[in-house]
Amino acid sequence: MAALYIERFMNYGLTRDELRSGKPIVGISQSGSDIAPCNRVHLELVHRIKAGIRDAGGIPMEFPVHPIFENCRRPTAALDRNLAYLGLVEILNGYPIDAVVLTTGCDKTTPAAIMAAATVDIPAITLNGGPMLDGWHDGQLVGSGTVIWRSRRMLGAGEIDEDEFVRRACNSAPSAGHCNTMGTASTMNAISEALGMSLPGNAAIPAPYRERGQMAYETGKRIVDMAYEDLRPSKILTREAFLNAIRVNAAIGGSTNAQPHIVGMARHAGVEIGAKDWMEHGYDVPLLVNMQPAGKYLSERFHRAGGVPSVMWELLQAGTLDGSALTCTGRTQAENLKGCETTDREVIFPYSAPLKGAAGFLVLRGNLFDFAIMKTSVISDDFRQRYLSRPGHEGVFEARAIVFDGSDDYHHRINDPSPDIDENCILVIRGSGPLGWPGSAEVVNMQPPDALLQRGIQSLPTLGDGRQSGTSDSPSILNASPESAAGGGLAWLRTGDTIRIDLNAGTCDAIVADEEVARRKSEAPPPVPESNTPWEELYREKTGQLSTGGVLEFAVKYRRTSAKTPRHNH
């Protein structure tokens, strides 16, 4: 077996002495490629990672992983998180790798990598490629993703034409890197830092900055020490770490996609995160970061303000963060965060005087679903005044449902005058969850019909069993579980039904008589498209709901697989 290993790894220039030196072999999971532009910077950063590994006494081995690109993958990139996870598990489990640097960036690359690291449990550290530089358009900050949703509304209202719409979108993406807003990419890389899986300060360094290459080098050096220290994910990914992640997500105004990703990572680590954890540990945490879509600024200013460590410092001083949690540095969070107070209070607000109070996800349930969340940090003053400020009924509203079966139906009918959509309606989309789409799609942040946009009504309440972009500024009710394709209540909901939402009680119910609900349940469920590939069929067969992380349910029982050496292959 030694001969088989040595003779082939030598064929590109490694030496026999290196391979038999006893030094740790450090894998580098290469997530960058031409079809994953948000991660493409890793094609260059890998040289600095390898230099760090070499200088610390390790032997680097770069290998490819399944690409994930949120913007262009059809029918949805959500399919790829679990597929990349499976592939990465097999590589880390089946090849002679002692430790691994997990390169991340675009939304789902981070949870896929950490889920795999938790399953195999060899020393692992994440390095993201960094966000793009700030986008500017006509002297104004324009954030990637966020400007798309805002410009779509302007286009529908007739305020801009299509060429201007595209110009604004293009100007929001001025350099290499992932989204420069607090979308899912920035959120999940911040979450990795909050979990202790990346070096402090890693998440927010823009991709073109010199510090990004320096961070790559330091990450390469550190993983070698982690290999010698036997510092594995099982020692870092504790319940305390995941509760810290929930708190940080609220403080940064993080993406709603953090909910299934955090739960998914936790389940693969053997940690249960339930609905009450989001309310008990995250809901009352204030919004501290003034960054789009919940605020004003973008990644460059956030990085210069101190990034994630400065946010965590605020939480630690307030007694909200568990400072005893171990991190990949070998030190605790409290030790890492010494001296990390921000120098820019326009971007990172004090805990005692936040940008907004109680900014975490609100968990709702009712007769339409058992679990859904609402991102409270993006509730605008206009939305609050219109729907949540009725005297004596603050936080409670009723609306007439307009039901769409998937996004094609929405796009075809949103401007149809026959449903008489007005400001007293709630837009509902179903068939967009893990089974119905398949994969769960970012379609819940539906905008009003053009007629309402032209009257100045920028948003309606929205509800769905899919997801929405982390860059969206819509306070949607989403990730509803069980989804309609799994027998959830949205399957029997009809256009014209009244939905009552009580944010105080955390409830969302259709006001429909029990006998009528029973009659509707006896009817055929809404149709869903057939699977178009073998993986889509397998995904539908094995994947659970968003409330429990949207993971491959059979996979969560596999943990610490590296404890057992696989059988010989010859």
Side-chain angles (χ1 to χ4, degrees), residues 218-256:
E218 294 298 334
T219 298
K221 287 180 62 178
R222 178 58 195 152
I223 191 58
V224 176
D225 290 340
M226 290 175 68
Y228 282 119
E229 295 165 12
D230 197 31
L231 181 51
R232 300 170 183 254
S234 56
K235 299 176 183 177
I236 297 171
L237 296 176
T238 61
R239 177 169 170 79
E240 292 72 28
F242 283 105
L243 295 181
N244 278 343
I246 288 174
R247 297 164 183 138
V248 169
N249 183 70
I252 63 177
S255 165
T256 49

Side-chain angles (χ1 to χ4, degrees), residues 531-542:
S531 296
N532 194 47
T533 65
W535 171 239
E536 288 182 17
E537 181 176 338
L538 184 60
Y539 182 97
R540 278 174 153 151
E541 180 184 335
K542 300 296 185 182

Side-chain angles (χ1 to χ4, degrees), residues 158-217:
E159 297 172 11
I160 60 174
D161 60 19
E162 190 167 306
D163 183 66
E164 172 67 4
F165 173 43
V166 174
R167 253 195 349 122
R168 292 166 64 89
C170 290
N171 287 345
S172 72
S175 75
H178 59 68
C179 285
N180 50 28
T181 47
M182 190 53 75
T184 307
S186 293
T187 296
M188 292 315 301
N189 289 296
I191 292 303
S192 182
E193 203 171 314
L195 288 171
M197 286 294 292
S198 63
L199 293 180
N202 168 68
I205 302 169
Y209 277 28
R210 68 184 182 199
E211 293 98 323
R212 179 50 64 190
Q214 293 165 347
M215 180 60 73
Y217 176 77

Side-chain angles (χ1 to χ4, degrees), residues 36-190:
C38 296
N39 291 41
R40 195 178 186 281
V41 66
H42 285 300
L43 298 178
E44 297 299 324
L45 284 178
V46 71
H47 302 300
R48 297 300 296 148
I49 301 171
K50 289 180 176 178
I53 292 170
R54 283 285 182 191
D55 285 355
I59 301 170
M61 286 191 179
E62 179 185 0
F63 60 87
V65 295
H66 185 82
I68 307 177
F69 179 34
E70 187 66 45
N71 293 27
C72 293
R73 172 66 157 99
R74 294 190 178 196
T76 169
L79 288 166
D80 285 335
R81 187 197 69 174
N82 291 350
L83 187 56
Y85 156 79
L86 284 178
L88 192 49
V89 166
E90 292 304 311
I91 293 170
L92 298 181
N93 195 65
Y95 285 85
I97 296 172
D98 298 306
V100 64
V101 176
L102 304 161
T103 65
T104 67
C106 189
D107 304 11
K108 294 164 187 61
T109 58
T110 304
I114 293 177
M115 285 158 53
T119 295
V120 180
D121 201 34
I122 60 173
I125 191 169
T126 66
L127 173 78
N128 74 304
M132 295 181 286
L133 298 177
D134 290 359
W136 292 88
H137 179 81
D138 293 345
Q140 300 294 319
L141 281 169
V142 285
S144 53
T146 300
V147 73
I148 300 261
W149 316 121
R150 293 175 180 174
S151 298
R152 279 180 63 196
R153 296 194 290 266
M154 295 174 70
L155 183 66
E159 297 172 11
I160 60 174
D161 60 19
E162 190 167 306
D163 183 66
E164 172 67 4
F165 173 43
V166 174
R167 253 195 349 122
R168 292 166 64 89
C170 290
N171 287 345
S172 72
S175 75
H178 59 68
C179 285
N180 50 28
T181 47
M182 190 53 75
T184 307
S186 293
T187 296
M188 292 315 301
N189 289 296

